[in-house]
Amino acid sequence: MKICLVATFPPSGRQLNEYAFHMARELQRNPTIDLTILADELDDYQFATDPSGKPLHGAEKDELPGFHVIRCWKFGHLSTPLRILHAIRRIQPDVVWFNLVFSSFATQENPVAAFMGLSTPALVRASGYYTHVTLHHIIEHVDFAAAGVRQEGIFRFGSDLATRTLLKANSISVLLSGYRRTLINKYDADNVLLGTHGVFGSSPTPPDFSKRGNPHRILAIGHWGTYKRLETLMEAFGEVLKVVPDARLVIAGANHHTKPGYWESIREQQKGNPNIEFRGYVAEEDIPELFRTTSIVAMPYDSATGSSGPAHQACEYGIPIVCADIGDFRQMAEDEDMAISFYRLRDPADLASKLISLLQSEPEQRRMGEHNFAAAVRMTMPNIIRRHLRWFQLARHKRNRQLPDRSLPLPYWRTLPPRPGTVYDTDASPE
């Protein structure tokens, strides 16, 4: 099967580039797949930097070895749909697979380019190619105020139109059951599949709890400055140190591309605190050791824009999660049977209480960690890719039989079997 994967791709630093890398790596391992990655063009802004500002990739701005990458579209440009279609016509794939969020092709400051980019799956399908979209969030579940969106009414109208355009693809997979329900109920969609974000490892290694607790490390990792913010965590950590004085807080990741300088400003405020380490961007090869020595993964978010990558990484390494009580994350915990302790949104005292409770209970850390690792084993990247390939094969079989595009019932598949979710709350009392 010949597949074109349309996505941001390393060494690009834009959204979802890491996720696309793990998708592509798993596809490359399948000898029956001929993969071409249609990726975003590179510019100096996109490359990750270390805390000193030095580009981590330096002279290594060449493509990652082992992948066939064609950089045929540019972020923020109106020509993106035609350039992608031109590349697809040269390759003649069986499947064109898009890995997207609504800002994959441009930011809200350039809404025309963003919409043009999101129209690409419909254009490609209209040109005779089978198209599938993995959509990591939907606008109906985004808190616009927390995400910093201006002119909400206009933005919602444009997002509604963009969603309807995306649904013109042959099929779409979303990562939370609530997203599928919304697309079916609001847009009368019948081509939406339910998948899961999944973990990046092919065969996760059971956690070694002896690597943790000397000292206890709390890890917060992400793209900071919009709905992922650090103020609540910083205030909470001060209270944690009063009870657990040897605790350490590690802040990893980078600024969101719309908020340059954000995490550096937080680092400046915390200058001189030896218990807080600002790691900045963490290279792929350093991720395992960072997580293996972490006692708790904290998710101090003001809102959510989909299923969480850091939560799935925590599961992969068998780590308890403490997370803001946000609907999408409650849904994620239920859908994927994760062990998460939720704190009240924007409440540093409650966050501190949850962190202290876990830090003082190694049996609870182990119980939640083992629970999350069990969830990870059920949603590895090979499982996710295998389910997509089965759907693509079914679609090809339908086309070969020359059946109408939607003459067969759409399977309601998911990576995990239906089951009641488990959510750990250390404070279940009503507010």
Side-chain angles (χ1 to χ4, degrees), residues 35-225:
L35 176 67
T36 301
I37 301 159
L38 303 183
D40 52 328
E41 293 181 0
L42 301 174
D43 56 58
D44 290 340
Y45 170 79
Q46 292 178 250
F47 294 99
T49 59
D50 65 17
S52 70
K54 179 182 177 182
L56 283 171
H57 298 284
E60 300 176 8
K61 294 183 180 180
D62 298 328
E63 300 299 346
L64 301 183
F67 297 98
H68 179 210
V69 180
I70 300 174
R71 297 205 175 263
C72 62
W73 58 275
K74 191 171 181 65
F75 187 83
H77 279 228
L78 297 175
S79 61
T80 287
L82 293 179
R83 294 179 67 185
I84 291 175
L85 180 60
H86 180 67
I88 289 168
R89 282 175 169 162
R90 293 201 313 269
I91 298 165
Q92 292 295 310
D94 300 299
V95 175
V96 183
W97 188 351
F98 293 82
N99 183 52
L100 300 179
V101 290
F102 275 77
S103 57
S104 286
F105 297 107
T107 64
Q108 60 175 302
E109 283 74 23
N110 194 351
V112 177
F115 179 80
M116 292 293 288
L118 293 173
S119 71
T120 308
L123 175 65
V124 172
R125 181 186 177 184
S127 301
Y129 301 95
Y130 181 86
T131 61
H132 177 82
V133 177
T134 294
L135 188 59
H136 288 252
H137 65 221
I138 62 174
I139 293 301
E140 286 78 6
H141 289 245
V142 173
D143 182 340
F144 281 11
V149 173
R150 299 182 297 274
Q151 297 180 313
E152 181 175 334
I154 296 174
F155 195 84
R156 285 199 182 276
F157 173 79
S159 300
D160 182 282
L161 185 59
T163 301
R164 295 181 188 279
T165 304
L166 283 169
L167 287 166
K168 298 297 183 182
N170 294 86
S171 57
I172 288 185
S173 55
V174 292
L175 309 183
L176 293 174
S177 59
Y179 290 5
R180 184 174 187 268
R181 286 194 296 271
T182 296
L183 293 178
I184 291 172
N185 294 335
K186 179 176 179 179
Y187 298 97
D188 197 27
D190 62 356
N191 61 339
V192 183
L193 310 173
L194 176 60
T196 183
H197 182 289
V199 302
F200 294 151
S202 298
S203 53
T205 303
D208 180 357
F209 291 97
S210 68
K211 291 181 175 289
R212 305 173 188 177
N214 297 304
H216 282 299
R217 291 181 175 86
I218 302 166
L219 171 65
I221 185 169
H223 290 90
W224 303 104

Side-chain angles (χ1 to χ4, degrees), residues 310-351:
H312 287 85
Q313 287 180 299
C315 289
E316 180 175 351
Y317 294 97
I319 305 171
I321 303 167
V322 175
C323 174
D325 194 351
I326 296 169
D328 277 4
F329 294 150
R330 285 272 182 181
Q331 184 75 71
M332 176 183 69
E334 180 179 344
D335 284 352
E336 300 174 8
D337 198 18
M338 291 181 177
I340 301 179
S341 176
F342 289 99
Y343 70 90
R344 289 187 294 274
L345 186 64
R346 303 185 186 93
D347 187 336
D350 197 38
L351 172 55

Side-chain angles (χ1 to χ4, degrees), residues 367-422:
R367 183 162 73 101
M368 292 180 68
E370 290 175 345
H371 189 114
N372 281 339
F373 180 76
V377 170
R378 296 192 296 270
M379 54 181 175
T380 61
M381 191 58 67
N383 287 339
I384 293 167
I385 297 299
R386 188 159 48 245
R387 289 185 179 274
H388 279 82
L389 294 179
R390 287 173 182 166
W391 171 246
F392 300 157
Q393 289 163 358
L394 173 61
R396 182 165 61 179
H397 177 67
K398 289 165 55 179
R399 293 198 303 275
N400 289 342
R401 292 178 58 193
Q402 296 183 336
L403 293 174
D405 193 39
R406 289 173 178 162
S407 60
L408 294 181
L410 181 71
Y412 179 76
W413 60 260
R414 51 188 301 164
T415 298
L416 300 180
R419 57 169 54 195
T422 300

Side-chain angles (χ1 to χ4, degrees), residues 243-318:
V243 181
V244 189
D246 63 341
R248 298 290 185 270
L249 175 61
V250 179
I251 306 299
N255 294 310
H256 190 273
H257 63 271
T258 64
K259 298 293 181 180
Y262 170 77
W263 79 264
E264 292 88 347
S265 70
I266 300 295
R267 180 182 62 181
E268 186 64 24
Q269 294 171 15
Q270 300 298 325
K271 182 183 290 187
N273 189 334
N275 294 75
I276 302 179
E277 176 187 357
F278 287 84
R279 286 283 297 271
Y281 176 86
V282 181
E284 185 71 27
E285 60 269 20
D286 297 328
I287 287 289
E289 187 61 22
L290 175 66
F291 276 85
R292 286 171 185 152
T293 57
T294 291
S295 299
I296 301 172
V297 167
M299 295 169 53
Y301 301 172
D302 286 352
S303 67
T305 58
S307 192
S308 167
H312 287 85
Q313 287 180 299
C315 289
E316 180 175 351
Y317 294 97

